[in-house]
Amino acid sequence: MQTQKVINHIVNWLKDYAINAKVNGFIVGVSGGIDSAVVSTLAAKTGLKTLVLEMPIRQKADQVDRAQDHIEFLKSNFPNVEGFTVDLTPVFESFETTVHDYKEGAWSKNLALANTRSRFRMVTLYYYGQLNGLLVTGTGNKVEDFGVGFYTKYGDGGVDISPIADLYKTQVYEIAKELDVLESIQKAVPTDGLWDADKTDEDQMGATYPELEWAMEQQFAGKTEADFEGRQKEVMEIYLKLNKATQHKMNPIPVCEIPQELK
């Protein structure tokens, strides 16, 4: 990958899109992870107003520290960047208490609450985005957005633009290195930060990002799990199962079309 040229391409694309949309710039939620660090830095490089928000909900201390360190890194390097923390823990816990008696302890409830965290953040980003005339800027990468659907529908999937959605996670790391993103963020184990327990992305999906990217390429080539053995077969099974289960996220909302003669 021609990393610097890709960076320039994305920065120019962001700037042109914002100018044509007649908005002031971008708003990005930062989590202390690699994707949001890269996207917020690319947005900052446009020179347009860039607002970065940390939105903790019972967040682990290391995630909070990395997010805050990254905000300070951006503010010290880009005069067009503003950033602050919006603590959503009280909002989430109030909601959690309100629905506490529904399937207590069930996996479906735990997952629903995890996704609720992401949706509260989406609402917050759009609130501050509308106040400031900013585009909510997505942080999803290619394998998450179009391979395994590893995002929350109408949560972190609810955005105006997606600058890194055509890049694999491994390529995002290349860009992070070129951008001099903080070492602590580059070395952090990927996690969506939506659970009270320590759950990495690999824990949740059962495969690493390089493995899932490999599987995505095999799918593009028309391969199935039957073409492989051992760990490769296992990874293909994981990938294809996730890909099938999350099509409702990737495809347009189904619309019931009424026959003309019934109208």
Side-chain angles (χ1 to χ4, degrees):
M1 183 175 71
Q2 300 178 65
T3 310
Q4 189 56 55
K5 288 185 177 180
V6 170
I7 290 171
N8 294 340
H9 178 81
I10 295 173
V11 170
N12 290 333
W13 179 83
L14 283 168
K15 189 170 184 178
D16 289 346
Y17 190 96
I19 290 172
N20 289 332
K22 295 180 171 49
V23 297
N24 298 323
F26 313 94
I27 182 168
V28 187
V30 293
S31 63
I34 197 76
D35 294 323
S36 63
V38 164
V39 168
S40 54
T41 306
L42 292 170
K45 287 177 71 66
T46 65
L48 301 177
K49 180 173 181 176
T50 301
L51 179 58
V52 287
L53 297 187
E54 185 215 0
M55 298 169 285
I57 301 175
R58 295 205 295 246
Q59 231 59 41
K60 304 299 179 186
D62 63 318
Q63 296 171 23
V64 172
D65 290 344
R66 289 197 304 272
Q68 292 180 349
D69 288 346
H70 179 65
I71 291 174
E72 291 308 311
F73 165 79
L74 290 178
K75 289 166 69 174
S76 64
N77 284 279
F78 300 96
N80 55 309
V81 171
E82 298 177 26
F84 53 88
T85 296
V86 180
D87 186 1
L88 294 177
T89 301
V91 177
F92 174 76
E93 291 184 341
S94 176
F95 177 82
E96 185 181 37
T97 300
T98 303
V99 299
H100 77 282
D101 59 345
Y102 180 71
K103 293 186 178 179
E104 184 65 40
W107 165 249
S108 58
K109 179 187 177 184
N110 293 337
L111 180 58
L113 285 173
N115 285 327
T116 297
R117 297 186 189 209
S118 183
R119 290 174 180 134
F120 279 146
R121 290 176 179 139
M122 180 274 293
V123 170
T124 305
L125 288 170
Y126 271 98
Y127 173 77
Y128 283 103
Q130 186 169 357
L131 284 181
N132 293 277
L134 305 173
L135 294 167
V136 175
T137 308
T139 61
N141 58 66
K142 186 173 185 176
V143 73
E144 289 174 339
D145 283 6
F146 304 111
V148 293
F150 192 63
Y151 60 89
T152 298
K153 198 173 185 179
Y154 306 120
D156 52 329
V159 300
D160 294 320
I161 50 174
S162 292
I164 62 168
D166 196 33
L167 294 174
Y168 284 126
K169 187 87 164 186
T170 49
Q171 294 174 310
V172 175
Y173 276 101
E174 289 182 49
I175 289 179
K177 185 176 180 180
E178 186 75 15
L179 291 173
D180 252 351
V181 166
L182 296 174
E183 194 74 15
S184 60
I185 293 176
Q186 293 190 51
K187 291 183 176 179
V189 177
T191 176
D192 60 14
L194 298 179
W195 306 83
D196 288 335
D198 287 322
K199 283 180 180 284
T200 67
D201 292 354
E202 184 178 352
D203 290 335
Q204 294 189 65
M205 293 187 286
T208 66
Y209 280 104
E211 286 178 324
L212 293 170
E213 291 170 12
W214 169 83
M216 194 172 184
E217 289 295 324
Q218 301 312 308
Q219 183 191 41
F220 290 157
K223 304 286 188 180
T224 70
E225 61 267 39
D227 295 303
F228 304 98
E229 296 180 353
R231 178 59 179 169
Q232 289 186 329
K233 180 182 179 69
E234 183 181 4
V235 169
M236 280 301 295
E237 289 173 344
I238 290 170
Y239 172 83
L240 292 173
K241 180 180 179 181
L242 291 171
N243 180 264
K244 182 178 180 180
T246 57
Q247 285 300 309
H248 68 98
K249 299 182 182 181
M250 306 175 204
N251 294 326
I253 299 170
V255 174
C256 177
E257 296 186 7
I258 308 302
Q260 191 62 39
E261 63 270 20
L262 298 181
K263 292 182 179 179

